[in-house]
Amino acid sequence: MGIGAKMSEVQIGDYQSAAEFLSFLDADETCDVEVLDDDGEVYMAHALVLAARSPVMALMLTTDCKEKNEKRIETAFPGDVLELALFFFYDNTTARFFEAGENAATESVLGLLEFAEYYQCPALRNAAIRHLRLYNLASIA
């Protein structure tokens, strides 16, 4: 079993580690792939992180595909959804899911479910479902 298969099992341990790992997302000089939202806005990321979190992105970035050759992934998802997905990829938390307004947050998290299904990200899918359940329970109470 190669390192790629093991990378998808990596979990970030504590908050400090997650915060340090998330700081890499802002370090453009180490980012090596562009991820575009549906409006063409560019988000910089690390191919290793994308490949570890999504088997679909792993194939795009490691086989003879346009994405590998151009170091660019074009998505059909809005920026708010893409940004939430990238933050989750890096810090493995749903804290950012709560930062948008009530309706925007729910809409964005529903978009995350679509993103998670499209790119086969079960951890993101499960986190979005947990968030929606908690959010709905909180709004009922």
Side-chain angles (χ1 to χ4, degrees), residues 3 11 14 28 50 65 76 84-85 92 95 112 118:
I3 192 166
Q11 293 292 319
D14 58 29
D28 284 345
L50 300 177
C65 290
L84 287 174
N92 206 42
L112 279 176
Y118 188 85

Side-chain angles (χ1 to χ4, degrees), residues 1 21-23 37 45 51 57-58 62 70 79 95 105 111 116 118 134 137:
M1 184 178 294
F21 198 61
L22 184 58
S23 71
D37 68 14
M57 289 184 179
T62 60
E70 295 180 1
Y118 188 85
L134 287 172
L137 288 175

Side-chain angles (χ1 to χ4, degrees), residues 123-140:
L124 178 59
R125 179 186 170 278
N126 293 339
I129 289 170
R130 278 192 310 273
H131 173 81
L132 289 171
R133 285 181 181 155
L134 287 172
Y135 196 79
N136 286 334
L137 288 175
S139 67
I140 292 170

